[in-house]
Amino acid sequence: MAEGERVVDIALQGGGAHGAFTWGVLDRLLEEDSLQIEGISGTSAGAMNAVALAQGLSVGGRQGARETLETYWTRVSRAASLSPIRRSMWDRLVGRWSLDQSPGYVMAQYFTRAFSPYQFNPFDMNPLRDLVAACFDFDVINAAPRPRLFLGATNVRTGRPKVFRQPEITVDAVMASACLPFLFKAVEIDGEAYWDGGYMGNPPLFPLIDETEARDVILIQINPFWRDEIPTTPAEIENRLNEITFNGSLIKELRSVAYLWELIHHEKLDRAAYRDARLHMIAAEDVMRQLSASSKMNAEPAFLAHLKEIGRQTADEWLAANLDKVGVETTWRPGFLFEESLSPAHLEDGTRRTRP
């Protein structure tokens, strides 16, 4: 490692069009020459960002990664221009990004509740699959020694997490990571069926800790942990359930990481045999709390550009406050995760009850 380099892993949450926030964060991080990305894990939209980042870095370095991310999201917005799911006129007038009042979205919601994709989409048509196949060269991604790439999916039959690694990263693996079961048939790979990885690992953290040399993990969060208001409308309830569901697996992994840190540091275990991690998080929860779950389906160019800019600003603020601490200390301690569970001894009561 060259002097001044900070070797990191990047963990990317899924969240549909909200993944454009992650695009902005990555775009800003790639401007920092001192940050060297060793491993990347991602789920759903995070998997899309992950393969774009991995391919770009392996082919064209930092600038190549920025260009590959730009190409992917530009194509997503172009494809969305043909979608019947659009914001209502009222939402446009009042400046809301929500699709809750969109006739196309309401109709789609009805169909996905009344019929399964095996009924309303028997040929399993998915425009995103063609877009992914056109954007990414999986031979390049699988041949690259760095960065290491891990994509999370959920095994439908067993309910267990599945992590795809090089050299098994394919179009099918990416689509498995992003397979929403109410919209698309399960993706079958080598005799197994997979759904969206968000149910069991959003994103998977332990492959980064176990299989790379980096000890710093930067989590780019999309789904807020905390909300003050109790949801009361159907849309608000669905939105909060979406967030809780897709944060549940992450919370469990973060708890495990904290217990591992406790064992290593307070039980004097051999650190060569047990690997821990310094955690960092980049998030804009105040902004994301204002967005409804339906806006994850809104891929119009103005919205994606808006999220990208928020991501860049958030990353810029995080770098100003924390860049010098990367490689030295943890900058994010999720003590709030232990409020209703057995807490590691090193977390004081006040720390445990601190909000994210």
Side-chain angles (χ1 to χ4, degrees):
M1 183 173 66
E3 185 177 354
E5 281 188 349
R6 298 173 173 88
V7 180
V8 300
D9 289 330
I10 305 288
L12 310 177
Q13 270 201 324
H18 293 185
F21 167 80
T22 299
W23 168 28
V25 172
L26 294 174
D27 192 65
R28 177 63 185 89
L29 294 182
L30 288 165
E31 294 177 349
E32 289 297 325
D33 291 338
S34 65
L35 289 178
Q36 302 298 318
I37 299 174
E38 172 79 7
I40 311 164
S41 75
T43 293
S44 198
M48 307 296 176
N49 280 318
V51 294
L53 180 59
Q55 176 175 309
L57 286 172
S58 63
V59 173
R62 298 172 184 280
Q63 187 57 34
R66 296 180 70 193
E67 291 172 0
T68 306
L69 285 160
E70 178 90 30
T71 297
Y72 170 73
W73 285 102
T74 299
R75 291 188 179 185
V76 167
S77 65
R78 287 175 182 169
S81 66
L82 304 175
S83 172
I85 301 177
R86 299 169 177 272
R87 283 188 294 163
S88 68
M89 184 62 69
W90 175 249
D91 285 326
R92 291 177 181 275
L93 287 172
V94 299
R96 279 199 301 256
W97 300 109
S98 168
L99 296 174
D100 291 342
Q101 307 304 319
S102 162
Y105 179 78
V106 172
M107 184 175 296
Q109 291 292 94
Y110 167 77
F111 270 95
T112 56
R113 285 170 170 77
F115 305 98
S116 84
Y118 294 84
Q119 297 169 313
F120 70 77
N121 188 11
F123 299 106
D124 203 25
M125 292 182 293
N126 187 345
L128 184 59
R129 180 186 176 86
D130 295 334
L131 190 155
V132 168
C135 278
F136 305 124
D137 186 332
F138 292 96
D139 289 335
V140 169
I141 291 169
N142 284 311
R146 295 289 185 276
R148 299 289 306 280
L149 183 60
F150 308 95
L151 306 183
T154 301
N155 187 305
V156 178
R157 292 186 176 92
T158 68
R160 295 173 59 189
K162 166 67 177 178
V163 177
F164 294 98
R165 303 164 170 81
Q166 294 125 321
E168 59 183 355
I169 305 297
T170 62
V171 175
D172 284 339
V174 176
M175 299 314 298
S177 183
C179 179
L180 294 172
F182 293 107
L183 294 179
F184 304 107
K185 294 181 180 180
V187 177
E188 296 199 19
I189 302 173
D190 296 333
E192 291 293 348
Y194 298 100
W195 281 338
D196 194 293
Y199 298 107
M200 293 303 296
N202 191 21
L205 298 182
F206 270 94
L208 297 175
I209 296 171
D210 290 342
E211 301 179 38
T212 80
E213 296 303 315
R215 298 275 56 85
D216 289 76
V217 177
I218 301 176
L219 168 66
I220 302 178
Q221 186 199 32
I222 290 177
N223 303 294
F225 285 123
W226 187 283
R227 281 187 182 271
D228 286 320
E229 304 82 7
I230 302 299
T232 56
T233 69
E236 290 171 347
I237 292 170
E238 180 181 14
N239 185 41
R240 188 57 184 149
L241 281 173
N242 180 284
E243 291 171 347
I244 291 171
T245 300
F246 282 87
N247 274 333
S249 57
L250 174 61
I251 288 172
K252 290 179 180 178
E253 281 206 81
L254 287 170
R255 282 177 170 175
S256 298
V257 170
Y259 283 123
L260 180 60
W261 189 95
E262 172 78 11
L263 288 170
I264 292 171
H265 291 267
H266 291 267
E267 300 299 326
K268 311 299 183 184
L269 297 182
D270 179 7
R271 297 187 65 179
Y274 297 89
R275 302 164 68 85
D276 63 349
R278 292 180 287 267
L279 289 178
H280 315 274
M281 186 175 78
I282 301 177
E285 288 201 304
D286 288 345
V287 174
M288 293 303 180
R289 272 191 280 265
Q290 305 305 313
L291 301 176
S292 69
S294 67
S295 65
K296 293 180 178 180
M297 301 287 289
N298 181 0
E300 62 182 276
F303 185 43
L304 299 184
H306 170 68
L307 289 173
K308 179 191 178 185
E309 184 56 31
I310 292 171
R312 280 191 58 85
Q313 291 174 2
T314 303
D316 194 61
E317 293 169 1
W318 184 87
L319 287 166
N322 298 295
L323 181 59
D324 291 341
K325 300 174 185 176
V326 175
V328 178
E329 62 180 280
T330 289
T331 62
W332 181 61
R333 295 176 173 81
F336 68 95
L337 298 178
F338 298 94
E339 287 184 357
E340 301 298 333
S341 68
L342 180 65
S343 302
H346 71 280
L347 294 177
E348 299 177 359
D349 288 345
T351 305
R352 288 203 306 270
R353 292 178 172 80
T354 300
R355 293 186 189 180

